[in-house]
Amino acid sequence: MNFNRDFLMGFISGTVVGAVGYRVYEQNNGQLRSLVQQAPQVSFSPGKAELSIEDLVSQKERLEDLIAERQAVGAR
């Protein structure tokens, strides 16, 4: 009898947590979409053999910013 009661309580708890999570997701759907659209996109163009110094410096700065953001998220 204990197994059935524990299973039932776990099932009910999981269902409630899933429903609450889905509701929170639906309420914040617009924010999540804007966050995904703002994500930086890294591109690579193999056709360019030589890049200018300005292009290389700008890519370096962008990569450093991305690394700093990831490290800040990981430190939390």
Side-chain angles (χ1 to χ4, degrees):
M1 185 70 184
N2 249 353
F3 174 74
N4 290 336
R5 184 174 180 202
D6 290 342
F7 176 78
L8 184 60
M9 291 303 292
F11 181 78
I12 291 171
S13 299
T15 302
V16 169
V17 168
V20 169
Y22 181 75
R23 180 170 169 86
V24 169
Y25 169 78
E26 285 296 319
Q27 288 176 345
N28 297 319
N29 195 11
Q31 291 176 348
L32 291 172
R33 283 189 182 176
S34 67
L35 181 65
V36 169
Q37 289 174 351
Q38 291 175 358
Q41 296 182 2
V42 178
S43 63
F44 176 73
S45 55
K48 288 186 175 180
E50 292 185 27
L51 296 173
S52 68
I53 297 295
E54 293 84 16
D55 290 338
L56 291 172
V57 169
S58 111
Q59 287 183 3
K60 176 186 169 194
E61 290 172 355
R62 191 177 75 216
L63 287 173
E64 288 173 345
D65 292 342
L66 288 172
I67 291 169
E69 287 177 15
R70 295 280 171 97
Q71 287 175 341
V73 169
R76 291 182 189 172

Short mmCIF file of all heavy atoms in Angstrom, two decimals, residues 2-71:
data_model
loop_
_atom_site.label_atom_id
_atom_site.label_comp_id
_atom_site.label_asym_id
_atom_site.label_seq_id
_atom_site.Cartn_x
_atom_site.Cartn_y
_atom_site.Cartn_z
N ASN A 2 2.03 1.20 0.65
CA ASN A 2 2.90 2.36 0.70
C ASN A 2 3.39 2.77 -0.68
O ASN A 2 3.46 3.94 -0.99
CB ASN A 2 4.11 2.08 1.60
CG ASN A 2 4.07 2.89 2.86
OD1 ASN A 2 3.22 3.75 3.01
ND2 ASN A 2 4.99 2.62 3.76
N PHE A 3 3.74 1.79 -1.49
CA PHE A 3 4.24 2.09 -2.83
C PHE A 3 3.18 2.83 -3.64
O PHE A 3 3.47 3.82 -4.29
CB PHE A 3 4.66 0.80 -3.53
CG PHE A 3 5.03 1.01 -4.97
CD1 PHE A 3 6.23 1.62 -5.30
CD2 PHE A 3 4.18 0.63 -6.00
CE1 PHE A 3 6.59 1.84 -6.62
CE2 PHE A 3 4.52 0.84 -7.31
CZ PHE A 3 5.73 1.44 -7.63
N ASN A 4 1.96 2.38 -3.59
CA ASN A 4 0.90 3.01 -4.36
C ASN A 4 0.64 4.43 -3.89
O ASN A 4 0.43 5.33 -4.69
CB ASN A 4 -0.38 2.19 -4.27
CG ASN A 4 -0.26 0.87 -5.01
OD1 ASN A 4 0.55 0.76 -5.91
ND2 ASN A 4 -1.04 -0.11 -4.60
N ARG A 5 0.66 4.64 -2.58
CA ARG A 5 0.41 5.98 -2.04
C ARG A 5 1.58 6.92 -2.41
O ARG A 5 1.35 8.05 -2.81
CB ARG A 5 0.26 5.91 -0.52
CG ARG A 5 -0.08 7.22 0.09
CD ARG A 5 -0.38 7.09 1.55
NE ARG A 5 -0.71 8.39 2.09
CZ ARG A 5 -0.62 8.71 3.35
NH1 ARG A 5 -0.24 7.79 4.22
NH2 ARG A 5 -0.93 9.90 3.76
N ASP A 6 2.82 6.44 -2.28
CA ASP A 6 3.97 7.25 -2.65
C ASP A 6 3.97 7.57 -4.14
O ASP A 6 4.27 8.69 -4.55
CB ASP A 6 5.27 6.54 -2.28
CG ASP A 6 5.49 6.46 -0.78
OD1 ASP A 6 4.84 7.24 -0.04
OD2 ASP A 6 6.30 5.62 -0.36
N PHE A 7 3.64 6.58 -4.93
CA PHE A 7 3.58 6.79 -6.38
C PHE A 7 2.52 7.82 -6.72
O PHE A 7 2.76 8.73 -7.53
CB PHE A 7 3.28 5.47 -7.09
CG PHE A 7 3.09 5.64 -8.57
CD1 PHE A 7 4.19 5.79 -9.41
CD2 PHE A 7 1.83 5.66 -9.14
CE1 PHE A 7 4.04 5.96 -10.77
CE2 PHE A 7 1.66 5.83 -10.49
CZ PHE A 7 2.77 5.98 -11.32
N LEU A 8 1.36 7.71 -6.10
CA LEU A 8 0.26 8.64 -6.36
C LEU A 8 0.64 10.06 -5.95
O LEU A 8 0.39 11.01 -6.69
CB LEU A 8 -1.00 8.19 -5.64
CG LEU A 8 -2.26 9.01 -5.90
CD1 LEU A 8 -2.60 8.97 -7.39
CD2 LEU A 8 -3.41 8.48 -5.08
N MET A 9 1.27 10.22 -4.81
CA MET A 9 1.68 11.55 -4.35
C MET A 9 2.75 12.13 -5.29
O MET A 9 2.72 13.33 -5.61
CB MET A 9 2.22 11.49 -2.92
CG MET A 9 1.14 11.19 -1.89
SD MET A 9 -0.21 12.38 -1.90
CE MET A 9 0.63 13.82 -1.31
N GLY A 10 3.68 11.31 -5.74
CA GLY A 10 4.69 11.78 -6.67
C GLY A 10 4.09 12.18 -8.01
O GLY A 10 4.47 13.19 -8.60
N PHE A 11 3.14 11.39 -8.47
CA PHE A 11 2.48 11.69 -9.73
C PHE A 11 1.71 13.01 -9.65
O PHE A 11 1.79 13.85 -10.54
CB PHE A 11 1.54 10.54 -10.12
CG PHE A 11 0.82 10.76 -11.41
CD1 PHE A 11 1.48 10.56 -12.61
CD2 PHE A 11 -0.50 11.19 -11.44
CE1 PHE A 11 0.84 10.77 -13.82
CE2 PHE A 11 -1.15 11.40 -12.63
CZ PHE A 11 -0.48 11.19 -13.83
N ILE A 12 0.98 13.20 -8.57
CA ILE A 12 0.21 14.43 -8.39
C ILE A 12 1.15 15.63 -8.27
O ILE A 12 0.92 16.67 -8.88
CB ILE A 12 -0.72 14.31 -7.16
CG1 ILE A 12 -1.84 13.30 -7.46
CG2 ILE A 12 -1.31 15.66 -6.78
CD1 ILE A 12 -2.68 12.93 -6.25
N SER A 13 2.22 15.47 -7.49
CA SER A 13 3.18 16.56 -7.34
C SER A 13 3.81 16.92 -8.68
O SER A 13 3.96 18.10 -9.02
CB SER A 13 4.28 16.17 -6.36
OG SER A 13 3.75 15.89 -5.09
N GLY A 14 4.21 15.93 -9.46
CA GLY A 14 4.80 16.17 -10.76
C GLY A 14 3.84 16.85 -11.71
O GLY A 14 4.23 17.75 -12.47
N THR A 15 2.59 16.47 -11.66
CA THR A 15 1.57 17.08 -12.51
C THR A 15 1.38 18.55 -12.15
O THR A 15 1.30 19.41 -13.03
CB THR A 15 0.24 16.32 -12.39
OG1 THR A 15 0.47 14.95 -12.76
CG2 THR A 15 -0.81 16.91 -13.30
N VAL A 16 1.33 18.84 -10.86
CA VAL A 16 1.14 20.23 -10.41
C VAL A 16 2.35 21.08 -10.80
O VAL A 16 2.19 22.18 -11.33
CB VAL A 16 0.89 20.28 -8.88
CG1 VAL A 16 0.96 21.70 -8.36
CG2 VAL A 16 -0.45 19.65 -8.55
N VAL A 17 3.54 20.57 -10.58
CA VAL A 17 4.75 21.32 -10.94
C VAL A 17 4.81 21.54 -12.45
O VAL A 17 5.16 22.62 -12.91
CB VAL A 17 6.01 20.60 -10.42
CG1 VAL A 17 7.27 21.20 -11.02
CG2 VAL A 17 6.07 20.64 -8.91
N GLY A 18 4.45 20.54 -13.21
CA GLY A 18 4.44 20.68 -14.67
C GLY A 18 3.42 21.72 -15.13
O GLY A 18 3.71 22.53 -16.01
N ALA A 19 2.25 21.73 -14.52
CA ALA A 19 1.21 22.70 -14.89
C ALA A 19 1.65 24.12 -14.53
O ALA A 19 1.47 25.05 -15.32
CB ALA A 19 -0.11 22.35 -14.20
N VAL A 20 2.25 24.28 -13.36
CA VAL A 20 2.72 25.61 -12.96
C VAL A 20 3.85 26.06 -13.88
O VAL A 20 3.88 27.22 -14.31
CB VAL A 20 3.17 25.60 -11.48
CG1 VAL A 20 3.89 26.88 -11.12
CG2 VAL A 20 1.97 25.39 -10.56
N GLY A 21 4.76 25.17 -14.21
CA GLY A 21 5.85 25.52 -15.11
C GLY A 21 5.35 25.92 -16.49
O GLY A 21 5.83 26.88 -17.08
N TYR A 22 4.37 25.21 -16.98
CA TYR A 22 3.79 25.53 -18.29
C TYR A 22 3.12 26.89 -18.25
O TYR A 22 3.25 27.68 -19.18
CB TYR A 22 2.80 24.46 -18.72
CG TYR A 22 2.17 24.72 -20.06
CD1 TYR A 22 2.91 24.52 -21.22
CD2 TYR A 22 0.87 25.18 -20.17
CE1 TYR A 22 2.36 24.77 -22.47
CE2 TYR A 22 0.31 25.43 -21.41
CZ TYR A 22 1.05 25.22 -22.56
OH TYR A 22 0.51 25.48 -23.78
N ARG A 23 2.41 27.19 -17.16
CA ARG A 23 1.73 28.48 -17.02
C ARG A 23 2.75 29.61 -16.99
O ARG A 23 2.57 30.65 -17.64
CB ARG A 23 0.86 28.50 -15.78
CG ARG A 23 0.12 29.80 -15.58
CD ARG A 23 -0.92 29.67 -14.48
NE ARG A 23 -1.46 30.95 -14.09
CZ ARG A 23 -2.47 31.53 -14.68
NH1 ARG A 23 -3.04 30.95 -15.72
NH2 ARG A 23 -2.92 32.69 -14.26
N VAL A 24 3.83 29.45 -16.24
CA VAL A 24 4.88 30.47 -16.18
C VAL A 24 5.51 30.65 -17.56
O VAL A 24 5.77 31.78 -17.99
CB VAL A 24 5.94 30.09 -15.12
CG1 VAL A 24 7.16 30.99 -15.22
CG2 VAL A 24 5.35 30.17 -13.73
N TYR A 25 5.74 29.55 -18.26
CA TYR A 25 6.29 29.62 -19.61
C TYR A 25 5.36 30.41 -20.53
O TYR A 25 5.80 31.27 -21.29
CB TYR A 25 6.52 28.22 -20.16
CG TYR A 25 6.85 28.19 -21.63
CD1 TYR A 25 8.12 28.52 -22.08
CD2 TYR A 25 5.88 27.86 -22.57
CE1 TYR A 25 8.42 28.51 -23.43
CE2 TYR A 25 6.17 27.85 -23.91
CZ TYR A 25 7.44 28.18 -24.34
OH TYR A 25 7.72 28.18 -25.68
N GLU A 26 4.08 30.13 -20.47
CA GLU A 26 3.12 30.82 -21.33
C GLU A 26 3.03 32.30 -20.99
O GLU A 26 2.89 33.13 -21.88
CB GLU A 26 1.73 30.17 -21.21
CG GLU A 26 1.62 28.84 -21.92
CD GLU A 26 1.79 28.97 -23.42
OE1 GLU A 26 1.25 29.91 -24.02
OE2 GLU A 26 2.46 28.10 -24.01
N GLN A 27 3.13 32.65 -19.72
CA GLN A 27 3.05 34.05 -19.32
C GLN A 27 4.28 34.83 -19.78
O GLN A 27 4.20 36.02 -20.06
CB GLN A 27 2.91 34.17 -17.80
CG GLN A 27 1.56 33.76 -17.29
CD GLN A 27 1.47 33.79 -15.77
OE1 GLN A 27 2.48 33.86 -15.09
NE2 GLN A 27 0.26 33.72 -15.26
N ASN A 28 5.42 34.19 -19.86
CA ASN A 28 6.67 34.85 -20.22
C ASN A 28 7.10 34.53 -21.65
O ASN A 28 8.27 34.70 -21.99
CB ASN A 28 7.78 34.46 -19.24
CG ASN A 28 7.48 34.93 -17.85
OD1 ASN A 28 7.00 36.03 -17.65
ND2 ASN A 28 7.74 34.08 -16.87
N ASN A 29 6.19 34.06 -22.47
CA ASN A 29 6.51 33.64 -23.82
C ASN A 29 7.12 34.78 -24.65
O ASN A 29 8.10 34.58 -25.36
CB ASN A 29 5.26 33.09 -24.51
CG ASN A 29 5.58 32.32 -25.75
OD1 ASN A 29 6.73 32.00 -26.02
ND2 ASN A 29 4.56 32.00 -26.51
N GLY A 30 6.57 35.98 -24.54
CA GLY A 30 7.09 37.12 -25.30
C GLY A 30 8.51 37.47 -24.90
O GLY A 30 9.36 37.75 -25.74
N GLN A 31 8.78 37.44 -23.60
CA GLN A 31 10.13 37.74 -23.12
C GLN A 31 11.11 36.68 -23.59
O GLN A 31 12.24 36.99 -23.96
CB GLN A 31 10.15 37.81 -21.60
CG GLN A 31 9.42 39.00 -21.04
CD GLN A 31 9.39 38.99 -19.52
OE1 GLN A 31 9.71 37.99 -18.90
NE2 GLN A 31 8.98 40.10 -18.94
N LEU A 32 10.69 35.43 -23.58
CA LEU A 32 11.58 34.36 -24.01
C LEU A 32 11.90 34.47 -25.50
O LEU A 32 13.04 34.28 -25.91
CB LEU A 32 10.96 33.00 -23.71
CG LEU A 32 10.86 32.61 -22.25
CD1 LEU A 32 10.06 31.34 -22.07
CD2 LEU A 32 12.24 32.45 -21.65
N ARG A 33 10.90 34.81 -26.30
CA ARG A 33 11.14 34.97 -27.74
C ARG A 33 12.09 36.11 -28.01
O ARG A 33 12.98 36.01 -28.86
CB ARG A 33 9.83 35.18 -28.47
CG ARG A 33 9.05 33.92 -28.65
CD ARG A 33 7.87 34.12 -29.54
NE ARG A 33 7.12 32.87 -29.62
CZ ARG A 33 6.00 32.75 -30.27
NH1 ARG A 33 5.46 33.78 -30.87
NH2 ARG A 33 5.39 31.59 -30.31
N SER A 34 11.90 37.25 -27.32
CA SER A 34 12.79 38.38 -27.55
C SER A 34 14.21 38.05 -27.09
O SER A 34 15.18 38.48 -27.70
CB SER A 34 12.29 39.63 -26.83
OG SER A 34 12.34 39.48 -25.43
N LEU A 35 14.34 37.27 -26.02
CA LEU A 35 15.66 36.86 -25.54
C LEU A 35 16.36 35.98 -26.56
O LEU A 35 17.55 36.15 -26.84
CB LEU A 35 15.53 36.13 -24.21
CG LEU A 35 16.81 35.65 -23.55
CD1 LEU A 35 17.65 36.85 -23.14
CD2 LEU A 35 16.51 34.79 -22.35
N VAL A 36 15.62 35.07 -27.17
CA VAL A 36 16.21 34.18 -28.17
C VAL A 36 16.58 34.96 -29.42
O VAL A 36 17.63 34.72 -30.03
CB VAL A 36 15.23 33.03 -28.50
CG1 VAL A 36 15.68 32.27 -29.73
CG2 VAL A 36 15.08 32.12 -27.31
N GLN A 37 15.77 35.93 -29.80
CA GLN A 37 16.06 36.72 -31.00
C GLN A 37 17.25 37.63 -30.79
O GLN A 37 17.96 37.97 -31.73
CB GLN A 37 14.84 37.54 -31.41
CG GLN A 37 13.72 36.68 -31.97
CD GLN A 37 12.46 37.47 -32.24
OE1 GLN A 37 12.35 38.63 -31.86
NE2 GLN A 37 11.49 36.84 -32.88
N GLN A 38 17.52 38.04 -29.54
CA GLN A 38 18.64 38.93 -29.25
C GLN A 38 19.95 38.18 -29.09
O GLN A 38 21.00 38.79 -28.97
CB GLN A 38 18.38 39.72 -27.96
CG GLN A 38 17.28 40.73 -28.09
CD GLN A 38 16.96 41.39 -26.76
OE1 GLN A 38 17.54 41.07 -25.74
NE2 GLN A 38 16.04 42.31 -26.79
N ALA A 39 19.90 36.88 -29.09
CA ALA A 39 21.12 36.08 -28.90
C ALA A 39 22.09 36.37 -30.04
O ALA A 39 21.71 36.42 -31.21
CB ALA A 39 20.78 34.60 -28.87
N PRO A 40 23.34 36.58 -29.70
CA PRO A 40 24.32 36.89 -30.75
C PRO A 40 24.55 35.69 -31.66
O PRO A 40 24.53 34.55 -31.21
CB PRO A 40 25.59 37.22 -29.97
CG PRO A 40 25.42 36.57 -28.65
CD PRO A 40 23.94 36.53 -28.39
N GLN A 41 24.72 35.99 -32.92
CA GLN A 41 24.96 34.93 -33.88
C GLN A 41 26.38 35.05 -34.40
O GLN A 41 26.79 36.11 -34.88
CB GLN A 41 23.96 35.03 -35.03
CG GLN A 41 22.54 34.82 -34.58
CD GLN A 41 21.57 34.88 -35.74
OE1 GLN A 41 21.97 35.04 -36.88
NE2 GLN A 41 20.30 34.75 -35.45
N VAL A 42 27.10 33.97 -34.29
CA VAL A 42 28.48 33.95 -34.76
C VAL A 42 28.48 33.42 -36.19
O VAL A 42 27.87 32.40 -36.49
CB VAL A 42 29.33 33.05 -33.84
CG1 VAL A 42 30.75 32.97 -34.35
CG2 VAL A 42 29.28 33.55 -32.41
N SER A 43 29.15 34.14 -37.06
CA SER A 43 29.20 33.70 -38.45
C SER A 43 30.65 33.51 -38.87
O SER A 43 31.56 34.18 -38.38
CB SER A 43 28.51 34.72 -39.35
OG SER A 43 29.19 35.95 -39.29
N PHE A 44 30.83 32.62 -39.78
CA PHE A 44 32.15 32.33 -40.32
C PHE A 44 32.05 32.31 -41.83
O PHE A 44 31.19 31.64 -42.40
CB PHE A 44 32.65 30.97 -39.82
CG PHE A 44 33.96 30.58 -40.42
CD1 PHE A 44 35.13 31.21 -40.04
CD2 PHE A 44 34.02 29.59 -41.38
CE1 PHE A 44 36.33 30.85 -40.60
CE2 PHE A 44 35.22 29.22 -41.94
CZ PHE A 44 36.38 29.86 -41.55
N SER A 45 32.89 33.08 -42.46
CA SER A 45 32.89 33.11 -43.92
C SER A 45 34.23 32.58 -44.43
O SER A 45 35.24 33.27 -44.40
CB SER A 45 32.63 34.52 -44.43
OG SER A 45 33.58 35.41 -43.89
N PRO A 46 34.26 31.33 -44.88
CA PRO A 46 35.52 30.74 -45.31
C PRO A 46 36.07 31.37 -46.59
O PRO A 46 37.21 31.16 -46.93
CB PRO A 46 35.15 29.27 -45.53
CG PRO A 46 33.69 29.26 -45.76
CD PRO A 46 33.14 30.43 -44.99
N GLY A 47 35.28 32.15 -47.32
CA GLY A 47 35.74 32.73 -48.56
C GLY A 47 36.73 33.86 -48.36
O GLY A 47 37.54 34.16 -49.22
N LYS A 48 36.70 34.53 -47.21
CA LYS A 48 37.62 35.63 -46.96
C LYS A 48 38.96 35.08 -46.49
O LYS A 48 39.06 34.48 -45.43
CB LYS A 48 37.07 36.57 -45.89
CG LYS A 48 35.90 37.40 -46.34
CD LYS A 48 35.54 38.39 -45.24
CE LYS A 48 34.45 39.33 -45.69
NZ LYS A 48 34.10 40.28 -44.63
N ALA A 49 39.97 35.32 -47.28
CA ALA A 49 41.30 34.82 -46.92
C ALA A 49 41.96 35.76 -45.92
O ALA A 49 42.62 35.32 -45.00
CB ALA A 49 42.15 34.66 -48.16
N GLU A 50 41.77 37.06 -46.10
CA GLU A 50 42.41 38.03 -45.23
C GLU A 50 41.37 39.02 -44.74
O GLU A 50 40.60 39.56 -45.51
CB GLU A 50 43.52 38.77 -45.97
CG GLU A 50 44.70 37.90 -46.33
CD GLU A 50 45.82 38.69 -46.96
OE1 GLU A 50 45.93 39.89 -46.68
OE2 GLU A 50 46.56 38.10 -47.75
N LEU A 51 41.40 39.26 -43.42
CA LEU A 51 40.50 40.24 -42.83
C LEU A 51 41.32 41.46 -42.44
O LEU A 51 42.51 41.36 -42.13
CB LEU A 51 39.83 39.66 -41.58
CG LEU A 51 38.89 38.47 -41.81
CD1 LEU A 51 38.43 37.91 -40.48
CD2 LEU A 51 37.70 38.90 -42.63
N SER A 52 40.66 42.60 -42.42
CA SER A 52 41.36 43.81 -42.01
C SER A 52 41.58 43.78 -40.49
O SER A 52 40.92 43.03 -39.76
CB SER A 52 40.55 45.04 -42.39
OG SER A 52 39.37 45.10 -41.62
N ILE A 53 42.49 44.59 -40.03
CA ILE A 53 42.78 44.67 -38.60
C ILE A 53 41.52 45.10 -37.83
O ILE A 53 41.24 44.58 -36.76
CB ILE A 53 43.94 45.66 -38.34
CG1 ILE A 53 45.23 45.16 -39.00
CG2 ILE A 53 44.14 45.91 -36.85
CD1 ILE A 53 45.74 43.86 -38.42
N GLU A 54 40.77 46.03 -38.40
CA GLU A 54 39.55 46.51 -37.73
C GLU A 54 38.55 45.38 -37.55
O GLU A 54 37.92 45.26 -36.51
CB GLU A 54 38.93 47.66 -38.52
CG GLU A 54 39.75 48.93 -38.54
CD GLU A 54 40.83 48.92 -39.62
OE1 GLU A 54 40.76 48.09 -40.55
OE2 GLU A 54 41.76 49.75 -39.51
N ASP A 55 38.39 44.56 -38.59
CA ASP A 55 37.47 43.43 -38.50
C ASP A 55 37.93 42.43 -37.44
O ASP A 55 37.12 41.93 -36.66
CB ASP A 55 37.35 42.71 -39.84
CG ASP A 55 36.61 43.53 -40.88
OD1 ASP A 55 35.84 44.43 -40.49
OD2 ASP A 55 36.80 43.26 -42.08
N LEU A 56 39.22 42.16 -37.42
CA LEU A 56 39.75 41.21 -36.43
C LEU A 56 39.58 41.74 -35.01
O LEU A 56 39.20 41.00 -34.10
CB LEU A 56 41.22 40.92 -36.72
CG LEU A 56 41.50 40.11 -37.98
CD1 LEU A 56 43.00 40.06 -38.25
CD2 LEU A 56 40.92 38.71 -37.85
N VAL A 57 39.83 43.03 -34.81
CA VAL A 57 39.68 43.62 -33.48
C VAL A 57 38.23 43.59 -33.05
O VAL A 57 37.90 43.28 -31.90
CB VAL A 57 40.25 45.05 -33.46
CG1 VAL A 57 39.88 45.77 -32.17
CG2 VAL A 57 41.75 45.03 -33.64
N SER A 58 37.32 43.89 -33.96
CA SER A 58 35.89 43.88 -33.62
C SER A 58 35.43 42.46 -33.27
O SER A 58 34.67 42.26 -32.33
CB SER A 58 35.08 44.49 -34.75
OG SER A 58 34.31 43.59 -35.43
N GLN A 59 35.89 41.46 -34.02
CA GLN A 59 35.54 40.08 -33.69
C GLN A 59 36.13 39.66 -32.36
O GLN A 59 35.48 38.96 -31.57
CB GLN A 59 36.01 39.14 -34.80
CG GLN A 59 35.19 39.23 -36.05
CD GLN A 59 35.65 38.22 -37.10
OE1 GLN A 59 36.53 37.42 -36.86
NE2 GLN A 59 35.03 38.29 -38.27
N LYS A 60 37.34 40.09 -32.08
CA LYS A 60 37.99 39.77 -30.81
C LYS A 60 37.20 40.36 -29.65
O LYS A 60 36.95 39.69 -28.64
CB LYS A 60 39.42 40.31 -30.79
CG LYS A 60 40.14 40.10 -29.48
CD LYS A 60 41.48 40.80 -29.49
CE LYS A 60 42.06 40.81 -28.09
NZ LYS A 60 43.16 41.73 -27.96
N GLU A 61 36.78 41.62 -29.78
CA GLU A 61 36.00 42.27 -28.72
C GLU A 61 34.66 41.57 -28.51
O GLU A 61 34.21 41.38 -27.38
CB GLU A 61 35.81 43.74 -29.05
CG GLU A 61 37.08 44.55 -28.95
CD GLU A 61 36.93 45.97 -29.47
OE1 GLU A 61 35.86 46.31 -29.99
OE2 GLU A 61 37.91 46.73 -29.34
N ARG A 62 34.02 41.19 -29.61
CA ARG A 62 32.73 40.50 -29.50
C ARG A 62 32.89 39.16 -28.80
O ARG A 62 32.10 38.79 -27.93
CB ARG A 62 32.13 40.30 -30.89
CG ARG A 62 30.68 39.82 -30.83
CD ARG A 62 30.07 39.68 -32.19
NE ARG A 62 30.60 38.47 -32.81
CZ ARG A 62 30.88 38.34 -34.08
NH1 ARG A 62 30.70 39.34 -34.91
NH2 ARG A 62 31.34 37.20 -34.55
N LEU A 63 33.95 38.43 -29.14
CA LEU A 63 34.21 37.14 -28.48
C LEU A 63 34.53 37.33 -27.00
O LEU A 63 34.08 36.56 -26.16
CB LEU A 63 35.34 36.40 -29.18
CG LEU A 63 35.00 35.82 -30.55
CD1 LEU A 63 36.25 35.27 -31.21
CD2 LEU A 63 33.96 34.74 -30.41
N GLU A 64 35.30 38.36 -26.68
CA GLU A 64 35.61 38.62 -25.27
C GLU A 64 34.35 38.96 -24.49
O GLU A 64 34.19 38.54 -23.34
CB GLU A 64 36.64 39.74 -25.16
CG GLU A 64 38.03 39.33 -25.58
CD GLU A 64 39.01 40.49 -25.62
OE1 GLU A 64 38.57 41.66 -25.60
OE2 GLU A 64 40.23 40.23 -25.67
N ASP A 65 33.44 39.72 -25.10
CA ASP A 65 32.17 40.04 -24.44
C ASP A 65 31.34 38.78 -24.21
O ASP A 65 30.74 38.60 -23.14
CB ASP A 65 31.37 41.05 -25.28
CG ASP A 65 32.02 42.43 -25.32
OD1 ASP A 65 32.88 42.70 -24.45
OD2 ASP A 65 31.66 43.22 -26.21
N LEU A 66 31.29 37.91 -25.23
CA LEU A 66 30.55 36.66 -25.09
C LEU A 66 31.13 35.79 -23.98
O LEU A 66 30.40 35.20 -23.18
CB LEU A 66 30.53 35.89 -26.41
CG LEU A 66 29.68 36.46 -27.53
CD1 LEU A 66 29.93 35.70 -28.82
CD2 LEU A 66 28.22 36.41 -27.16
N ILE A 67 32.45 35.71 -23.92
CA ILE A 67 33.11 34.91 -22.89
C ILE A 67 32.80 35.48 -21.51
O ILE A 67 32.49 34.74 -20.57
CB ILE A 67 34.63 34.84 -23.15
CG1 ILE A 67 34.91 33.99 -24.39
CG2 ILE A 67 35.37 34.28 -21.93
CD1 ILE A 67 36.34 34.07 -24.89
N ALA A 68 32.86 36.80 -21.37
CA ALA A 68 32.57 37.44 -20.08
C ALA A 68 31.12 37.19 -19.66
O ALA A 68 30.85 36.92 -18.48
CB ALA A 68 32.85 38.93 -20.17
N GLU A 69 30.18 37.24 -20.61
CA GLU A 69 28.77 36.97 -20.28
C GLU A 69 28.59 35.53 -19.82
O GLU A 69 27.89 35.27 -18.84
CB GLU A 69 27.89 37.23 -21.50
CG GLU A 69 27.71 38.68 -21.84
CD GLU A 69 26.89 38.88 -23.09
OE1 GLU A 69 26.23 37.93 -23.56
OE2 GLU A 69 26.91 40.00 -23.63
N ARG A 70 29.20 34.60 -20.52
CA ARG A 70 29.06 33.18 -20.14
C ARG A 70 29.68 32.93 -18.77
O ARG A 70 29.17 32.16 -17.97
CB ARG A 70 29.73 32.28 -21.18
CG ARG A 70 29.07 32.32 -22.53
CD ARG A 70 27.83 31.44 -22.55
NE ARG A 70 27.05 31.61 -23.75
CZ ARG A 70 27.12 30.83 -24.80
NH1 ARG A 70 27.96 29.83 -24.84
NH2 ARG A 70 26.36 31.06 -25.85
N GLN A 71 30.82 33.56 -18.49
CA GLN A 71 31.46 33.37 -17.20
C GLN A 71 30.62 33.98 -16.09
O GLN A 71 30.53 33.43 -14.99
CB GLN A 71 32.85 33.98 -17.20
CG GLN A 71 33.85 33.18 -18.00
CD GLN A 71 35.21 33.84 -18.09
OE1 GLN A 71 35.35 35.04 -17.86
NE2 GLN A 71 36.22 33.05 -18.45
#
